């Protein structure tokens, strides 16, 4: 009916043949139809690329790109270069989205005239037995209150890539790209830079994103975590966030610096 704005959905794909169909079907079946679905293969050596091409035959909104393996940040950045929608969202190829997820995000962006919207995530354990729902805090009167929530957050909801929709204008104006040199938390780093430039940020309380927790967790890179906490602290100070919230970030940071030292000692002793 009304003038629907195009949403570019950027999906980095790497050796996910077992779960890729589940993800792509959930994107093709969105209630919001005005989509550009960019499947960007990062040099998979399984059947992933073939599955992408099969889906492209069935749905003309799908575009498929491939390059030699460079990692997920490089792959998402290719998506940013190639997309032309008014809004951008990044989805991981081993996850799934509920049918109305994109519609809910677009409605929130339009309702509030925001540049970024953050939604909830439903985490599903490797054995599919456990579901944990994480939601962002609702409604900030101003950006200082928003940063207060970032400082106090214990769920990590602000860092994940796929529960955010961005206005492409913001990403282009600020030349936002994923940092290809980070090995952990490149997602939080990108989000923090985007948040710090946004004039208006919305949240929605639906958890439309189904995040399947892999059986094998990657090791935490504490240096990257410490760098991000430092960034939260300095942006929050600029935005006049309360002393208590900033103290919370400092405590968090000290804890991770300790963990970092312990991890190094452990590595030396092995």
């Amino acid at each position: 009916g009304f003038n629907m704005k195009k949403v570019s959905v950027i999906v980095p794909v790497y050796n996910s043949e077992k779960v890729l169909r589940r993800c792509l079907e959930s994107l093709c079946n969105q209630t919001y139809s005005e989509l550009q679905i960019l499947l960007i293969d990062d040099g998979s050596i399984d059947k992933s690329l073939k599955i992408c091409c099969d889906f492209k035959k069935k749905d003309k909104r799908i575009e498929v790109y491939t390059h030699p393996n460079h990692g997920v940040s490089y792959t998402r950045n290719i998506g940013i270069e190639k997309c032309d929608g008014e809004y951008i969202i990044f989805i991981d190829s081993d996850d799934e989205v509920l049918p109305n997820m994109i519609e809910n995000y677009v409605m929130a962006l339009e309702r509030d005239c925001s540049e970024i919207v953050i939604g909830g995530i439903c985490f599903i354990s490797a054995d599919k037995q456990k579901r944990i729902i994480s939601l962002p805090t609702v409604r900030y009167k101003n950006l200082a209150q928003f940063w207060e929530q970032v400082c106090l957050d214990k769920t990590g909801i602000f860092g994940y890539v796929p529960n955010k929709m961005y206005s492409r204008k913001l990403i282009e104006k600020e030349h936002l790209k994923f940092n290809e040199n980070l090995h952990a938390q490149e997602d939080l780093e990108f989000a923090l830079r985007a948040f710090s430039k946004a004039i208006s940020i919305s949240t929605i309380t639906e958890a439309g994103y189904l995040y399947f927790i892999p059986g094998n967790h990657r090791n935490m890179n504490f240096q990257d975590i410490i760098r991000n906490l430092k960034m939260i602290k300095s942006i929050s100070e600029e935005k006049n966030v309360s002393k208590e919230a900033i103290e919370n970030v400092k405590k968090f940071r000290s804890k991770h610096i300790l963990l970092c030292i312990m991890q190094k000692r452990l590595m030396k002793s092995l």
Side-chain angles (χ1 to χ4, degrees):
F2 69 102
N3 176 22
M4 281 174 92
K5 296 189 171 151
K6 190 197 283 182
V7 175
S8 294
V9 183
I10 296 173
V11 188
V13 176
Y14 181 64
N15 292 349
S16 51
E17 61 177 10
K18 291 186 174 63
V19 288
L20 182 56
R21 286 184 186 86
R22 172 182 76 192
C23 173
L24 299 184
E25 261 155 25
S26 78
L27 290 174
C28 293
N29 295 330
Q30 285 295 298
T31 55
Y32 193 88
S33 57
E34 194 55 44
L35 303 177
Q36 173 193 32
I37 302 170
L38 299 126
L39 309 181
I40 305 173
D41 174 64
D42 187 25
S44 297
I45 51 176
D46 65 358
K47 294 199 187 70
S48 294
L49 183 56
K50 184 190 181 308
I51 294 168
C52 290
C53 294
D54 290 347
F55 267 82
K56 182 181 187 306
K57 289 187 195 113
K58 290 187 288 192
D59 193 322
K60 59 179 188 306
R61 299 171 297 174
I62 292 178
E63 299 169 25
V64 179
Y65 299 95
T66 183
H67 55 252
N69 181 258
H70 277 295
V72 70
S73 292
Y74 175 93
T75 306
R76 287 187 184 127
N77 288 340
I78 295 274
I80 292 174
E81 278 165 31
K82 305 226 180 255
C83 73
D84 61 12
E86 212 148 321
Y87 301 128
I88 299 181
I89 190 164
F90 301 91
I91 302 292
D92 290 333
S93 66
D94 47 357
D95 294 328
E96 188 181 342
V97 292
L98 295 180
N100 58 353
M101 172 172 154
I102 290 178
E103 185 181 349
N104 286 338
Y105 276 67
V106 173
M107 273 164 42
L109 281 167
E110 309 269 295
R111 180 193 68 210
D112 303 337
C113 297
S114 305
E115 297 170 292
I116 303 175
V117 66
I118 306 169
I121 301 181
C122 174
F123 295 91
I124 300 171
S125 61
D127 58 9
K128 310 256 195 304
Q129 294 309 304
K130 228 168 73 195
R131 291 182 159 230
I132 299 167
I133 289 186
S134 247
L135 297 172
T137 330
V138 198
R139 290 265 168 257
Y140 322 98
K141 289 191 186 60
N142 54 46
L143 285 173
Q145 282 182 0
F146 171 80
W147 283 99
E148 183 107 358
Q149 297 304 329
V150 174
C151 290
L152 297 171
D153 177 65
K154 296 204 175 10
T155 65
I157 197 78
F158 293 105
Y160 293 95
V161 178
N163 64 326
K164 324 267 189 297
M165 190 178 277
Y166 297 94
S167 121
R168 191 172 111 240
K169 281 197 191 82
L170 174 73
I171 286 183
E172 288 188 343
K173 188 178 99 219
E174 302 297 343
H175 306 292
L176 291 169
K177 288 225 176 327
F178 286 87
N179 183 335
E180 293 167 25
N181 305 315
L182 289 188
H183 303 295
Q185 289 212 311
E186 70 293 328
D187 42 9
L188 176 61
E189 202 256 356
F190 179 87
L192 289 174
R193 279 186 293 138
F195 296 161
S196 72
K197 301 296 186 197
I199 296 162
S200 148
I201 300 172
S202 299
T203 51
I204 47 177
T205 51
E206 284 102 359
Y209 192 88
L210 308 184
Y211 186 112
F212 292 87
I213 300 170
N216 52 342
H217 270 307
R218 59 179 181 180
N219 287 335
M220 267 305 178
N221 184 327
F222 290 117
Q223 267 126 341
D224 291 344
I225 297 173
I226 292 160
R227 189 202 291 94
N228 279 335
L229 287 167
K230 192 171 166 187
M231 190 158 144
I232 292 177
K233 182 176 162 287
S234 66
I235 297 171
S236 299
E237 285 168 346
E238 272 168 40
K239 309 270 179 193
N240 300 322
V241 168
S242 73
K243 296 263 189 300
E244 296 80 45
I246 290 170
E247 279 309 310
N248 187 65
V249 178
K250 286 189 194 157
K251 270 202 298 246
F252 229 56
R253 208 171 135 214
S254 321
K255 188 181 104 184
H256 281 100
I257 290 171
L258 271 173
L259 287 167
C260 187
I261 294 164
M262 277 156 54
Q263 189 187 41
K264 281 195 179 132
R265 285 198 185 145
L266 185 69
M267 293 316 287
K268 282 197 182 111
S269 66
L270 288 177

